[in-house]
Amino acid sequence: MDDIATYPAGLLLTGRRVVVVGGGHVAQRRVPQLLAAGADVHVVSPSVTPAIEGLVGAGEVTWHERGFEDADLEDTWYVVAATDVTEVNRRVSAAAESRRIFCVRADDAQEATAWTPAVGRAAGFTIAVLGSREPRRSAAVRDEILTGLRDGTILAQDQRRHTAGVTLVGGGPGDPDLISVAGRKALMEADVVVADRLAPRELLGELPSDVELVDVAKLPRGRSAMQEEINRVIVERALEGKRVVRFKGGDNFVFGRGYEEVLACREAGVPVTVIPGLTSPVAVPAVAGIPVTHRGVAHEFTVISGHLPPGHEESLTNWDAVSALRGTLVLMMAVHNAPVIAATLVAGGRSADTPVAVLCDGTMPGERTVLATLGTLEAELVAQQVLPPAIIVVGEVVAVAHPERFV
């Protein structure tokens, strides 16, 4: 291929017959791409992988359970020869050539009449990269372009989308690499970003210089922006014709007051969309190596806000019912009230020896795990000088993750 000049073209395969000869792992990679293009895919092979068989069972693919025959190419627009037998691939290629059908050879690109590029789609573009027998390099180039398109950095500043409205973006637990592709792209397209302190702060430094940044940090038991003021700001900027991103840590709808912002936008007639984020009570334990469920150990996990202690008149949590649960408890915003919560759980029937993990600054450079039990939690919080933000995991899954600490 080094010396062959190819002519790139986009094929419209919707509803057109495409034949894939071979049912192994090469075919398994190619068939979904052909289906995504709308092709009528026929697989010719005595056997197929379980994944392809699943597509057959779902009615997405037609499987001819036998060896290749020249007649398989009748009324065919495109062929992929993907067997592990060179002679079979050669026969497929020859049959395609005689019928003037372009054919991909998985085993020998030099003998093919078409090549499968490294393909990806983003921002309304289809990116196809053909390298000189260097598929890894082609894929790397494709991925660089796709990343730029998806996060908005590859587009010129004046191409930024200017549809007025509000997008609620969940930034994930803190590590900037854990935000979704859609969330990062929305940030790069924003005119105004309204951010709290737990949103991945490094990403704010990547914003274009003309983006207005509104700080609405809510500090625990300290200076904070009232929710009504946040609602006012996002609605006001959107009504000015700006694209507003409300940028939060975790997920907007998990103790994030995100739906209050949705309601405020709807009441004002402002278009609002939601891009979910990795929620901290699941993501932070996972990154720290603690599963919130485990076979034979926990059949449920419960996420609870601990910003109000048990017995508080405004608390909506039934702590007697919580104490009776056998599964995993994940406590958010609970550092301050953790001692009384632990005492309540023990009084309600949980063993004082129940393992506990306090995950401080989860996914961030200063991340650390403090291990304790319900009986020792209060002392460990003091001894280890634990401060918010932290996720507290209560249950035997902590022992699964740390058998060296819990017998």
Side-chain angles (χ1 to χ4, degrees):
M1 289 177 61
D2 294 343
D3 301 323
I4 298 176
T6 59
Y7 183 83
L11 300 181
L12 295 177
L13 297 177
T14 302
R16 294 184 165 99
R17 179 184 173 99
V18 172
V19 173
V20 177
V21 182
H25 293 294
V26 174
Q28 183 175 319
R29 292 197 301 270
R30 298 290 176 252
V31 167
Q33 295 175 313
L34 294 167
L35 291 174
D40 175 19
V41 178
H42 291 249
V43 173
V44 180
S45 178
S47 61
V48 295
T49 66
I52 294 178
E53 187 171 355
L55 295 173
V56 173
E60 296 182 78
V61 170
T62 301
W63 178 22
H64 304 273
E65 193 175 350
R66 53 171 171 74
F68 171 73
E69 299 173 2
D70 289 6
D72 289 325
L73 301 191
E74 296 301 325
D75 298 321
T76 296
W77 291 73
Y78 193 67
V79 182
V80 178
T83 78
D84 56 3
V85 181
T86 300
E87 181 55 37
V88 174
N89 290 339
R90 186 178 295 119
R91 282 182 49 219
V92 174
S93 182
E97 181 75 16
S98 68
R99 291 167 173 75
R100 297 185 178 181
I101 302 170
F102 284 106
C103 177
V104 175
R105 284 278 296 270
D107 62 331
D108 190 345
Q110 295 285 2
E111 297 298 322
T113 53
W115 295 271
T116 301
V119 177
R121 294 174 179 83
F125 294 97
T126 296
I127 306 302
V129 179
L130 278 172
S132 299
R133 291 179 292 187
E134 296 182 80
R136 290 184 182 276
R137 189 179 180 195
S138 297
V141 172
R142 173 204 60 194
D143 291 345
E144 288 284 342
I145 298 171
L146 290 175
T147 298
L149 286 172
R150 287 167 175 165
D151 65 22
T153 58
I154 204 171
L155 296 178
Q157 185 170 310
D158 61 358
Q159 292 177 292
R160 195 187 311 152
R161 197 156 48 102
H162 284 287
T163 304
V166 173
T167 301
L168 307 184
V169 175
D175 184 334
D177 288 339
L178 296 180
I179 188 174
S180 70
V181 170
R184 193 182 189 107
K185 183 173 184 290
L187 276 178
M188 294 302 109
E189 293 178 342
D191 300 307
V192 181
V193 174
V194 180
D196 67 25
R197 74 184 188 96
L198 296 181
R201 53 184 180 262
E202 291 92 336
L203 295 178
L204 301 179
E206 298 179 10
L207 295 173
S209 59
D210 65 334
V211 173
E212 178 186 4
L213 178 60
V214 181
D215 178 13
V216 292
K218 292 187 175 184
L219 301 176
R221 294 170 174 76
R223 182 167 59 90
S224 65
M226 296 298 293
Q227 186 62 49
E228 292 77 9
E229 176 65 11
I230 295 172
N231 295 348
R232 184 193 68 78
V233 169
I234 62 176
V235 167
E236 182 180 87
R237 296 297 196 279
L239 291 176
E240 292 173 358
K242 295 178 179 179
R243 187 68 183 174
V244 182
V245 165
R246 173 68 173 107
F247 191 35
K248 298 176 64 65
D251 181 85
N252 303 79
F253 289 172
V254 180
F255 303 128
R257 292 192 169 186
Y259 209 73
E260 295 179 39
E261 295 161 358
V262 169
L263 294 175
C265 290
R266 288 178 177 173
E267 183 177 346
V270 171
V272 58
T273 57
V274 177
I275 298 176
L278 285 175
T279 186
S280 298
V282 176
V284 167
V287 171
I290 299 175
V292 293
T293 65
H294 188 72
R295 185 160 59 105
V297 175
H299 288 178
E300 85 275 349
F301 70 96
T302 305
V303 180
I304 300 174
S305 170
H307 74 291
L308 295 177
H312 193 283
E313 62 182 9
E314 295 181 10
S315 175
L316 301 177
T317 302
N318 184 338
W319 285 102
D320 289 336
V322 169
S323 299
L325 295 173
R326 298 178 60 187
T328 306
L329 303 180
V330 184
L331 307 175
M332 300 178 66
M333 300 175 286
V335 170
H336 180 75
N337 292 319
V340 66
I341 291 173
T344 300
L345 293 175
V346 171
R350 280 264 184 163
S351 169
D353 294 328
T354 301
V356 178
V358 183
L359 311 175
C360 310
D361 294 315
T363 79
M364 300 299 288
E367 174 184 299
R368 63 184 175 122
T369 298
V370 174
L371 298 176
T373 64
L374 285 177
T376 64
L377 179 58
E378 181 174 9
E380 288 294 342
L381 290 175
V382 174
Q384 300 297 329
Q385 300 180 330
V386 173
L387 298 173
I391 299 291
I392 301 176
V393 182
V394 179
E396 293 304 320
V397 293
V398 178
V400 171
H402 293 280
E404 77 287 352
R405 170 64 171 78
F406 301 98
V407 179

